[in-house]
Amino acid sequence: VEAVEMDPEDELLQECACRLLHDLLCFDSANQIRAEKADAIAFVVCAMVTHAGSEGLQHQACRVIHVLTSKHPRNKIRAGREGAVEAVVAALRGHTKIQVVQLHACAALRALTSGVAARNQRRAMKAHAFEAVIAAMRAHEGLWELQGEACRALRNMTQERRPDKN
């Protein structure tokens, strides 16, 4: 994370860093703690905002956010504070024809709005995530994996939750 923070304008470097970070997180659970300490969430959100037009970077960044927040309540809350919900919704809205971006953005929204993340639900609704997910479902009717992730994201966004403790 430190190495790529030195050149945030290098789109390809940022995309490759997100891809590598995703792989590191998937294959070693200890890397979740390392990523948290390295402020990986802030890096990924910054990369998404800086390179909003890059479908490759948005795809890889959504994958990272999904993995970082799927089973880690503290990361969900932190990601929400860092702007991950809004960045993922922007990816959904900005890359409507790109199936992999739509799929992984829906998966990231599902993870961000599950469990303890009541504030992230509110952030998602304020960012019009519900409408963006519905649009993804309509645009990619034949992609069943996306349909499943989208349905789970919609469920999480609309389930009643107790307020966050943090």
Side-chain angles (χ1 to χ4, degrees), residues 34 39 55 63 77 83 113 125 152 155:
R34 291 182 190 105
D39 210 10
E55 61 193 52
R63 292 175 72 214
I77 292 165
T113 57
M125 297 312 258
R152 289 185 286 277
R155 177 198 61 210

Side-chain angles (χ1 to χ4, degrees), residues 91-152:
L92 264 175
R93 291 189 178 284
H95 300 280
T96 58
K97 294 190 181 343
I98 312 302
Q99 289 182 348
V100 292
V101 174
Q102 300 288 291
L103 169 64
H104 293 289
C106 286
L109 275 174
R110 175 185 51 82
L112 283 163
T113 57
S114 68
V116 299
R119 284 193 182 125
N120 287 353
Q121 283 179 306
R122 290 189 295 278
R123 286 180 178 103
M125 297 312 258
K126 188 175 179 180
H128 302 283
F130 193 89
E131 295 86 346
V133 171
I134 295 292
M137 293 176 79
R138 287 183 176 147
H140 304 284
E141 290 178 356
L143 188 60
W144 298 113
E145 189 177 4
L146 183 146
Q147 297 295 317
E149 290 293 354
C151 286
R152 289 185 286 277

